[in-house]
Amino acid sequence: MSETSAQPAPGTTPAFDLVMVGGDIGVYALARAFNDRYGTVPTVVSRVETGPVMRSDIINHHLIGEDKTSQDTIDELVRIGKEHHGRHPLVLLTNQDTIVRMVMERVDELAPYYTIPMPGVDLLDRISDKVEFARACDELGIPHPATQVVDFSGAAADGWTAPAVESPFPVVAKPATTSQYETLKFPGKKKVYFLDTQADYDDMVRVLRAAGFTGQFLVQQLIGGDDTYMRSVTAYRDQFGETTLLCSAHVLLEEHSPTALGNPAAMFTTALPDLWESAVKFLDHMDYKGFANFDVKVDPKDGTGYFLEMNSRIGRNNYYVTAAGANVAEFVVTDVVENRPHAPVRVENEILYTVLFKPFLMRYVLDPALRERVNAAARNGIHHPLWNRKDSLWRKGYTLVAMANHVRKFLKYYPKPSSHGF
């Protein structure tokens, strides 16, 4: 696997420290970017020790205990901030929707100690609500799927019935916001539901009612095509209102296990200027600040790129940006530590990002022309976010085991490619 070479930090960069909350593969990728670029060893605060950050030489892993609450996490962050004594800027980042919201809902407690390049709660509410996202896309002329809202706020009442589905089956269904849904635990829970029939829809409604879900679910037009029609766009918009980073990727294969459904497992970076233009238009409209990640699906019938959602964070697969040559740490540090604009970067390099063994990945890439593009990108570098020559030998072993586990999960949940991706 290829390595992204570290670059020395410019001598004019002020000293800073980094604290992150979480423990997924995206947090490790961020830590790696900061370590490669600035030699930073961030403090990562989490309740339990998770594989992606376990036993890492580039992370100071700070465990607070599985039984700790959100307020306990905030209290610990405040304690760390106080101990820092304001020696130099202390940047706070995370890569999970619920943690972004937790931080920003208590920003008044944290702001005396941290620089927090994340959007405020009001803007989070607008963006994380997929209904509001669809309305904004309509206003800006950005293509998005036809969307129906199913409101479960009264679902506990006797006699409540779900509305009829307006779009023809098959359709896609998912929570309008993830904050409540992420806290629910019930058998058969999925990140996204693919519904072929009315019976599938009725079953989903029954399960959600039984689980006590009281939010809104979206039922959307299904845009055809398999995983290879998905695109990812990652951006950073700074305090000066400039989108300084744009990088995009052509997805090759998404995860298919129920709780991780839709997370890209492999993609190659490529320039997508039309999608970049829409992303900038949306960010400017919202006056957004910080990292953002857009999920887009291209309609195989006419090539239209439909914007599905925007995440108010960099995304768990953010290492594809750094691997393609635009170290994501630079854009944060230039903006909130150096307090100056970064020259705009539009990434055009093509590399292969994958958490799978390449031979296994290629069994899902059937189109000959696409296989040629993947092989060409792979010749420029094959990058796994956890495969880091600077980290411990144990970490390399863990990464190989994780890759083998991905093979097992794909053989169970998606043993062979399909025309629709599920």
Side-chain angles (χ1 to χ4, degrees):
M1 296 180 191
S2 304
E3 301 287 345
T4 300
S5 59
Q7 304 173 40
T12 56
T13 300
F16 69 94
D17 283 324
L18 174 65
V19 175
M20 291 192 287
V21 187
D24 69 357
I25 195 171
V27 165
Y28 182 86
L30 275 172
R32 179 176 180 178
F34 275 88
N35 184 261
D36 281 353
R37 186 66 180 86
Y38 299 103
T40 307
V41 178
T43 296
V44 172
V45 178
S46 55
R47 294 190 301 158
V48 296
E49 193 170 31
T50 55
V53 295
M54 187 181 292
R55 298 191 191 180
S56 172
D57 292 340
I58 67 166
I59 286 172
N60 172 24
H61 200 182
H62 188 81
L63 298 172
I64 63 172
E66 188 172 4
D67 60 337
K68 299 301 182 182
T69 64
S70 295
Q71 187 58 53
D72 291 329
T73 304
I74 295 297
D75 291 343
E76 189 62 20
L77 289 172
V78 169
R79 188 191 66 77
I80 292 170
K82 287 179 177 178
E83 285 188 354
H84 188 262
H85 299 303
R87 292 187 297 272
H88 35 72
L90 188 58
V91 179
L92 180 62
L93 292 172
T94 187
N95 190 45
Q96 186 176 326
D97 292 330
T98 53
I99 301 177
V100 171
R101 178 166 292 278
M102 176 191 75
V103 167
M104 298 314 295
E105 285 179 347
R106 296 166 175 83
V107 69
D108 289 344
E109 299 173 56
L110 298 169
Y113 314 104
Y114 294 94
T115 298
I116 308 174
M118 303 180 206
V121 171
D122 290 345
L123 188 52
L124 275 179
D125 287 341
R126 292 181 64 196
I127 293 170
S128 63
D129 187 328
K130 296 176 179 63
V131 178
E132 290 297 322
F133 178 82
R135 288 175 183 155
C137 286
D138 275 339
E139 184 177 339
L140 298 170
I142 297 173
H144 67 92
T147 300
Q148 176 186 359
V149 180
V150 180
D151 189 351
F152 281 79
S153 59
D158 293 338
W160 181 88
T161 57
V165 176
E166 296 169 358
S167 296
F169 288 100
V171 294
V172 178
K174 55 190 175 183
T177 60
T178 58
S179 51
Q180 184 210 6
Y181 189 71
E182 283 185 350
T183 64
L184 293 177
K185 295 182 179 180
F186 56 89
K189 181 180 179 181
K190 299 177 182 179
K191 183 179 176 182
V192 180
Y193 295 79
F194 295 97
L195 310 175
D196 285 316
T197 65
Q198 181 68 42
D200 291 340
Y201 174 68
D202 294 340
D203 285 344
M204 181 196 73
V205 169
R206 176 183 53 78
V207 169
L208 291 173
R209 288 186 75 189
F213 180 73
T214 57
Q216 294 180 327
F217 239 66
L218 303 185
V219 178
Q220 292 185 321
Q221 162 197 6
L222 176 65
I223 307 300
D226 62 10
D227 295 353
T228 64
Y229 286 90
M230 289 297 301
R231 305 291 183 265
S232 173
V233 178
T234 297
Y236 186 86
R237 189 172 185 269
D238 67 15
Q239 62 179 303
F240 307 102
E242 178 76 28
T243 300
T244 54
L245 170 66
L246 282 166
C247 183
S248 47
H250 181 136
V251 175
L252 299 168
L253 185 62
E254 296 181 327
E255 294 192 42
H256 284 258
S257 57
T259 57
L261 189 67
N263 291 332
M267 57 183 94
F268 68 92
T269 55
T270 189
L272 299 170
D274 290 346
L275 301 187
W276 293 348
E277 181 180 349
S278 293
V280 171
K281 188 188 300 184
F282 188 90
L283 295 173
D284 287 346
H285 176 75
M286 294 291 182
D287 194 22
Y288 185 88
K289 305 291 193 303
F291 283 116
N293 177 259
F294 295 87
D295 294 332
V296 183
K297 189 164 190 183
V298 175
D299 190 335
K301 296 194 296 288
D302 59 11
T304 299
Y306 286 87
F307 277 64
L308 306 182
E309 63 181 353
M310 176 189 140
N311 300 303
S312 301
R313 50 188 171 81
I314 194 171
R316 74 190 306 274
N317 296 289
N318 66 81
Y319 192 68
Y320 78 76
V321 183
T322 298
N327 188 302
V328 295
E330 286 190 13
F331 300 89
V332 182
V333 172
T334 304
D335 183 27
V336 302
V337 176
E338 299 180 9
N339 287 302
R340 64 178 180 84
H342 191 293
V345 172
R346 307 297 185 252
V347 179
E348 298 186 357
N349 299 336
E350 296 197 351
I351 56 92
L352 177 61
Y353 167 102
T354 179
V355 297
L356 304 168
F357 299 107
K358 181 171 177 281
F360 184 77
L361 163 65
M362 296 306 285
R363 65 182 277 171
Y364 291 90
V365 183
L366 304 181
D367 180 75
L370 184 57
R371 289 177 68 91
E372 287 184 14
R373 290 196 67 187
V374 173
N375 285 325
R379 286 192 288 271
N380 295 331
I382 301 175
H383 299 266
H384 189 303
L386 302 182
W387 188 267
N388 185 356
R389 60 179 171 79
K390 295 169 64 177
D391 219 328
S392 65
L393 181 62
W394 186 92
R395 296 283 312 166
K396 295 179 176 64
Y398 169 82
T399 302
L400 292 173
V401 171
M403 294 173 77
N405 283 337
H406 274 300
V407 172
R408 176 182 55 80
K409 287 190 290 185
F410 272 97
L411 292 178
K412 178 178 181 180
Y413 294 108
Y414 192 53
K416 58 183 180 179
S418 67
S419 60
H420 44 60
F422 60 94

